[in-house]
Every structure is written in C-alpha cells, then in structure tokens.
Amino acid sequence: MFSNLLLNFLYLLFPVVVFLIFFENRPYSYSKKILVLLSAVAMSLCMIMPIRLEIGFFFDLRYIPFIIVALFGGYKNVIPLYVVLNILRFYVGGEGIFQSFLFSTAVLLIVPLFNKKFMKLSSKGRIITATVISFITMGCYLIMLSYIIDHFDWQIWILSINALTTNTVMMVILMMLIEKIITNIENRERIIQSDRLNVVSELAASVSHEIRNPLTVTNGFLQLLKKSNSLTEQEKRYIELSLQELERAEKIVSDYLSFAKPQTVNMVLSNMSTELEYTKSVIMPYASIHNVEVEFRFNNSLSTSYDRNQIQQCLINLYKNGIEAMREKGGGTLTIDISECKHNIMIRIQDTGIGMTKEEISRLGKPYYSTKEEGTGLGMLMIYSTINKVKGRIEVHSEKGEGTTFLLTIPASLNVS
Ligand code: ADP
Ligand code: MG
C-alpha cells in the first residue's frame, strides 16, 4: 500500500515537474492551458491507478489536482477537469457512479467561488486555505461514502481516517511546492526587472546628458542671433520657432530621461504630505479636463528618506496613467490614499479606468511598452525605478474594464520618532 501511495504522489508531482522543466518561461495564457492539461493527466492517472486498501476499499487523490486548479484557475479552468473526471469515472464503472457525479458537481460549483479571495491571500494563507478545503472535501466524500456502504464498522473508520490524513498531507506537500515555485518565479522576475532598470537608466542617463549639452549650446547661439539687428521679421519668426522646438526637446529629455540620474538631488526625510499637496495641485487641472474626480486621503505619520523630485514625478506619472485609463471611459474617480501599516508607508492609487489583463500587467515597466498612441512607455519604468531605490514594492491589481489599483509599499526609516 505504501508503494502505491508513493506512486500516486508521483502522479501528482508529474505536472509540477513537467511544467518546471518545459513550460515555465512560456507566456501566461499559454502556460495556464498547459497546466490544466497536465493536471487533467495527473488526475486521470490517480483515478486509473487508485490506492487499494484492504477489504476492497478504493480511494484516490483525484480531488487534489481538481481543487488546486479550481482555487488557482476558477470556473473556467476547472470545467475541463470536471469533464475528464466524470467521463473517466463512467468508463471505470463500478458502484457509486451517480454519487461521484453529484459530488464532483458540488465541488465544481462551490470551490471555485473562493478563487478571487484565494488569489489575494499570502503564500501561507493559500497553503492553509487549500489544505482546509481539501480536508473538508474529503471529509464530505467519506461521509457520503458511509451512506453507500451498509456494513459500516470500525475497520472502515480507520481506513477513512487513513484516507483523510493521506489526502491532507499530500495537499500540504503539493501546495508548499507550488507556492515555492511561485515565489521563485516572482523573485526572478524582480531581479530581471531591476537589471533591466539598470541598463535602461544608464543608457538614458548618458543619452540625456549627451543631448542636453548640444541643446544648450544651440539655444545660446540662437538667443544671440535673435538680438542681431540685420534680421528680417520673417527670420526672427523662424528663430523664435526654433527656440520653441528646442525647449520642447529639452522638456522631453528632462521629463523622460532624467529619472536615470537625477540632475538635482533633493533628498529629504519626510512623510510625503508635501509631495501629496504638490502633486495634487499639479494634477487637478488635468483631471478636470478629463472629467475625472479625484479623492485624496492622507493619514501617515511615518517618515522615510527619498528624493523629493523623483517621488513627485513618480506620483504624477501614476495619477496620469490612472486618468488616461479613465479618459477612454469618459471619466471616473481617482482615489489617492497615503496611509501607514506596520512600519510601511502605503500609497494606494486606484482608478476606475479600462483596467488591464494579467498579460498586460506582466508587461508593465518594460521599457517602451505602451498601448497609447502618444505614449512613451517610460512612465512605469520611472515608477519602478524610483520605488526600487527606496526599497519599496509595487503591487498591481487590475480587472479589465473595471479599473486598476497600484499599491506601493515603502518601508519607513526606523530611527525616526
Ligand atoms: P505611457 O503612459 O506613456 O503609455 P507608461 O509606462 O506610463 O507609458 O504606461 C505603460 C502602459 O501601461 C500604458 O500604455 C497602459 O497601457 C498601461 N497602464 C499603466 N497604468 C495603467 C492604468 N492605471 N490603467 C490601465 N492601464 C495602465
Ligand atoms: Mg504614462
């Protein structure tokens, strides 16, 4: 029986291993389909070769992949598993086909309800939730079974407890593995992102520096030329236009490329209230043009040290993105909330705009990724770079068509009262 158990464990490990080796780096939507397919295979293997206990009592771990997919993937992804499970159960035959059908339908209907809440939990929370759900499911299954079996005695009791323990332990192990893999993938993404930032910001720094000098020189000479008396009106106008264009070029350079190496460092130790006030005054006109209401909330006593200019620019970029996301919907509400939580400054910027898919979220912060015609795709890069510098974290929650929430968590300086 023990070797049988190990074999079943192997089936459950199969999707994890195959996924890690072959598919980990594929795009999100594609890898999701692969995972569902692999889970279906694992579930089928569990069902075809169940754990055989004494006195003809069978039990298998089919509900482990089923519940995991239901929790992580929701209704959409678990339905294929449900179909496979029932077709296979029909094919295997034997007693209790109808009960099994009813039971799996109940699980299909109930467990994916937790999908959204589940995905918001921490790693530990997810492990515990999945374990509890699998425990309850298996418990119900056994209770249901006890109604079918008429000669119910202590032997079956022991077997049931065995089954319940096995199922739960397997779930814990598997969930721990899955969560570890998720953490690893996230960490690697973070490292790649910070590498990318370094490369781009270095490039941006040198480019902005190289461009700024010739711009200044040209500007100077044009100013001189403008003062000449031998110029016709027409020529003066040309020079005026050239100067205007130069100014624009300079603005672009300073707006988008200066985040790399700040021209003027303005380090402060503060609680961001000044920044909120300043950025509020900057963004209000922009918001009202686009029919957006802005709500500000400030409730933070923690301080940290940061570059004032950069944080301001970063906040403005976030507001602008929010407002631009609502522009296409003809308006909405932008909520900006700065608060504190356990030695962290929390900045929440929430819009009711067009939102993003998971795929789009994963592309945020890649240089030049923009979905806007006039976009540069450098705003998010600047945001990531700035928050990276103050050792903060950025979480993005978004629902296509509903809106987006950016949550910045910045650790406070400890030695300040
Ligand atoms: P840009 O604003 O110039 O396009 P950003 O780096 O600021 O560049 O943003 C990159 C892309 O991220 C945007 O084009 C948009 O598709 C997406 N994005 C950023 N913030 C939001 C948001 N709040 N809601 C929806 N999409 C967003
Ligand atoms: Mg932007």
Side-chain angles (χ1 to χ4, degrees), residues 55-239:
I55 56 156
F57 188 86
F58 282 97
F59 113 94
D60 62 51
L61 301 170
R62 73 181 85 155
Y63 280 108
I64 291 185
F66 194 85
I67 289 173
I68 290 180
V69 170
L71 284 175
F72 277 98
Y75 286 107
K76 204 173 73 208
N77 293 300
V78 81
I79 286 173
L81 255 74
Y82 170 77
V83 173
V84 171
L85 189 149
N86 281 302
I87 290 178
L88 214 67
R89 184 68 188 79
F90 214 75
Y91 186 73
V92 171
E95 274 181 79
I97 291 184
F98 183 63
Q99 282 88 344
S100 157
F101 172 71
L102 275 187
F103 188 75
S104 62
T105 310
V107 177
L108 172 80
L109 291 180
I110 296 169
V111 177
L113 284 179
F114 299 103
N115 166 248
K116 287 231 168 79
K117 278 217 177 100
F118 180 78
M119 294 310 283
K120 283 191 186 133
L121 291 174
S122 69
S123 211
K124 222 182 195 166
R126 283 202 290 257
I127 295 176
I128 293 169
T129 313
T131 310
V132 169
I133 288 181
S134 117
F135 184 84
I136 294 173
T137 313
M138 201 60 195
C140 292
Y141 185 74
L142 290 171
I143 290 170
M144 193 191 75
L145 216 61
S146 73
Y147 282 106
I148 305 175
I149 303 172
D150 28 357
H151 51 278
F152 207 77
D153 54 16
W154 63 270
Q155 218 172 356
I156 296 191
W157 264 111
I158 293 179
L159 291 177
S160 302
I161 290 171
N162 269 343
L164 200 57
T165 322
T166 314
N167 200 67
T168 312
V169 169
M170 288 294 177
M171 190 64 165
V172 173
I173 298 176
L174 218 64
M175 277 305 290
M176 277 158 75
L177 279 177
I178 292 173
E179 287 299 331
K180 184 71 195 151
I181 292 168
I182 293 177
T183 320
N184 285 347
I185 293 178
E186 278 172 3
N187 283 345
R188 202 179 46 216
E189 286 287 313
R190 206 168 296 148
I191 293 169
I192 293 174
Q193 174 70 11
S194 108
D195 268 358
R196 200 184 283 140
L197 281 179
N198 284 342
V199 172
V200 175
S201 65
E202 236 154 74
L203 204 70
S206 62
V207 169
S208 74
H209 191 73
E210 296 301 318
I211 289 181
R212 205 170 257 144
N213 281 345
L215 286 181
T216 319
V217 174
T218 318
N219 196 319
F221 280 119
L222 281 175
Q223 299 276 9
L224 282 181
L225 198 58
K226 206 168 75 173
K227 295 205 178 93
S228 154
N229 296 327
S230 57
L231 287 178
T232 64
E233 265 320 295
Q234 181 84 7
E235 283 165 338
K236 271 202 178 130
R237 249 183 58 77
Y238 290 159
I239 290 176

Side-chain angles (χ1 to χ4, degrees), residues 317 320-321 324 372 379-380:
N317 281 347
K320 266 184 70 179
N321 280 346
E324 280 158 13
K372 298 166 199 161
M380 282 310 300

Side-chain angles (χ1 to χ4, degrees), residues 307-322:
D307 183 321
R308 177 158 277 165
N309 301 342
Q310 282 190 20
I311 288 289
Q312 280 170 359
Q313 189 64 48
C314 166
L315 288 177
I316 290 171
N317 281 347
L318 280 167
Y319 303 168
K320 266 184 70 179
N321 280 346

Side-chain angles (χ1 to χ4, degrees), residues 292-304:
V292 168
E293 278 192 36
V294 193
E295 277 178 31
F296 292 92
R297 277 182 231 135
F298 185 84
N299 182 14
N300 169 42
S301 59
L302 300 175
S303 297
T304 187

Side-chain angles (χ1 to χ4, degrees), residues 3 8 33 44 51 65 75 88 116 124 161 187 204 241-242 267 272 301 326 366 374 388 398:
S3 60
N8 268 267
K33 285 189 195 108
S44 312
I51 302 172
Y75 286 107
L88 214 67
K116 287 231 168 79
K124 222 182 195 166
I161 290 171
N187 283 345
L241 280 177
S242 314
M267 292 302 281
M272 307 227 168
S301 59
M326 292 185 277
K366 289 188 181 154
E374 82 290 18
N388 215 22
S398 192

